[in-house]
Amino acid sequence: MQFVVDEEIPFAKEAFSHLGSVTLLPGRTMTRETLRDADALIVRSVTRVDAALLAGTNVQFVGTATTGIEHIDREYLAARNIGFAAAFGCNANAVAEYVLTALLATTRAKNLVLNGKTLGIIGAGRIGGLVAAKAPALGLRTLLHDPPLARVTGDRRYRALSEILQADFVTLHVPLTLDGPDATFHMIGADELAHMAPSSILINTARGEVVDNAALLEALTEGTIAGAVMDVWEREPAIDWDLLNHVTLGTPHIAGYSSDGKIKATMMVYHACCRFWGIEPAWTPARDLPTTLAPGTVPHVTFDATGKDFQTLAHEIITTLYDLTADHTRMQDLLAAPEPLRPRAFDQLRRDYPHRREFACAPISIKGGNQNLFARLQTLGIHANEP
């Protein structure tokens, strides 16, 4: 069998070569011609998979090493009996950790206290559910909005969008859908932004088109809301560079880019391929792990909790584990380049993204801690012990 695989998928060669020959290609350059003799196609979100790409090819299976599937025409695949698999949930924890880090970094920059504030979560699925589970450890009260779940469960905890928009922070975790009663394209537009409090901060790690970027720029420019954290943008990689210049934190679609999540995605799609063809899986990533991912290579870090409130300590720990402001700085540096060169530089940031481990991978000791503190850190996904 012949596999065409996005070259940015970690361990693609090592994994899929167990099933056949592997050709690695940049995701944005894949064409019908390059897939002419392929039996399987493994992509990321930058490749649109539809009739324009697949018609006339021999592709029998499509996998995407992503949790979002808006780039896949599933109706076309189903109509032609082409197998399909996605890595649902592979990066959910990484995105949730990004949101926690963004909350702490933003409040530090704006000198705000999280305890007692409200966090509106739009979309309470895999990622939104994790954010909702972790956020109370920071003293946040969560409000949930998820119309599909509300209809299925009848649970009254799901609130109206108008109530969610009044929260101190609003974070988006919905798929991109263009039609139907729950369409999410531009679900946050000028009207919704106008209903947010002037002190509110919007966080988007879902899809760029969920937010009307032009309306957001106007809201930020006019002070309708206090700030925005944007990891996803309309028209990536040719984004609105003026908007980048106005957000509180901006990153190049990397919220879910933990090394742990990426490897999990490869594993999930590889196993789906094996099931599709009835082949016993023969590859595991353990032997191929780089030293930065090998067990025991994350340095042990000790913190002192003496005299610190929880938000201060959590900020110190989490920003040590993940330097989100460095991602923001690298993104801001794109503005120094001539505008025609920026889209390629945006993709380059994603391609060269440094290894980032999830919180649970770091061995941490804390002086002056107590049982309550350790329990709150555990809720955030941080495993800490006394020295």
Side-chain angles (χ1 to χ4, degrees), residues 269-294:
V269 176
Y270 166 71
H271 278 268
C273 282
C274 291
R275 288 192 299 271
F276 181 76
W277 273 292
I279 299 172
E280 188 69 23
W283 174 80
T284 61
R287 66 178 183 177
D288 297 316
L289 287 175
T291 55
T292 49
L293 289 175

Side-chain angles (χ1 to χ4, degrees), residues 92-104 114 119 130-140 142 309-319 321 357-362 364 366 372-384:
N93 190 62
V95 177
E97 292 185 349
Y98 176 102
V99 172
L100 296 175
T101 310
L103 287 167
L104 288 165
L114 282 175
L119 174 65
L130 275 175
V131 173
K134 295 172 184 287
L138 294 174
L140 288 160
T142 59
D309 61 83
F310 186 77
Q311 180 175 326
T312 299
L313 179 63
H315 178 273
E316 183 179 344
I317 295 172
I318 286 178
T319 55
L321 301 181
R357 302 304 307 274
E358 294 178 13
F359 297 165
C361 298
I364 290 173
I366 298 180
N372 177 62
L373 184 147
F374 288 122
R376 292 177 73 177
L377 290 175
Q378 183 73 32
T379 300
L380 295 174
I382 298 168
H383 303 314

Side-chain angles (χ1 to χ4, degrees), residues 165 186-196 212 215 224:
L165 294 175
H186 282 189
M187 72 175 299
I188 303 298
D191 290 344
E192 290 75 23
L193 291 164
H195 281 87
M196 292 178 69
D212 182 336
T224 304

Side-chain angles (χ1 to χ4, degrees), residues 18 49 67 163 199 209 216 227 254 263 267 351 385:
H18 285 266
V49 180
T67 190
E163 184 177 352
S199 58
E209 291 77 11
L216 177 60
I254 49 75
I263 293 170
M267 280 290 295
R351 188 161 48 247
N385 298 289

Side-chain angles (χ1 to χ4, degrees), residues 236-245 252 331-349:
E236 293 178 15
I239 70 172
D240 185 332
W241 303 105
D242 197 17
L243 176 58
L244 171 59
N245 207 28
M331 185 74 165
Q332 287 283 314
D333 287 344
L334 299 185
L335 296 173
E339 186 165 337
L341 301 181
R342 294 175 192 169
R344 179 175 292 183
F346 180 100
D347 278 345
Q348 190 74 33
L349 283 181

